[in-house]
Amino acid sequence: MASTSSSGLGLREPSDEQCRAELLAVLSSDPLKRSPKLSRLLGYLCDMQLRGLAGEITEYSIAHEALGRNDQFDPQQDAVVRVDLHHLRKRLKVFYTGEGADHAVQIVIPNGQYAPQFVLRDGPS
């Protein structure tokens, strides 16, 4: 269920076990431990991806299921999902340029998308 990307990243796909291990490592890292909200968000997104439900991730589902917004949530009026995804991408960048720099698997959430990708980095040259 993991997906891969290019530009310095491998062509092979990480196993679900590798993806889950990476998620746990990221969630226990300093950049994410400080934010239970962003940790919940990342956990929700990765769980949906690993369960093969990435196509069901919407702004509304994130707000309702991960961020605790009520059924009246209107993404046209409330940018919380987009704002929190921006902050989450920044935290992931901090993690992967710091303590997670040598991790073989990385979690990436491309701009303009909600579904995360688990990418295998190429080994050292």
Side-chain angles (χ1 to χ4, degrees), residues 21-54:
E22 184 61 17
L23 174 60
L24 290 175
V26 173
L27 291 175
S28 64
S29 71
D30 284 339
L32 270 288
K33 280 194 301 192
R34 293 184 306 228
S35 178
K37 181 180 180 182
L38 294 181
S39 294
R40 239 184 0 264
L41 176 57
L42 182 62
Y44 169 77
L45 296 173
C46 290
D47 181 61
M48 292 292 283
Q49 175 71 288
L50 290 168
R51 290 174 39 210
L53 301 173

Side-chain angles (χ1 to χ4, degrees), residues 5-17:
S5 178
S6 59
S7 83
L9 303 171
L11 298 175
R12 297 172 296 126
E13 196 169 290
S15 69
D16 283 357
E17 293 78 25

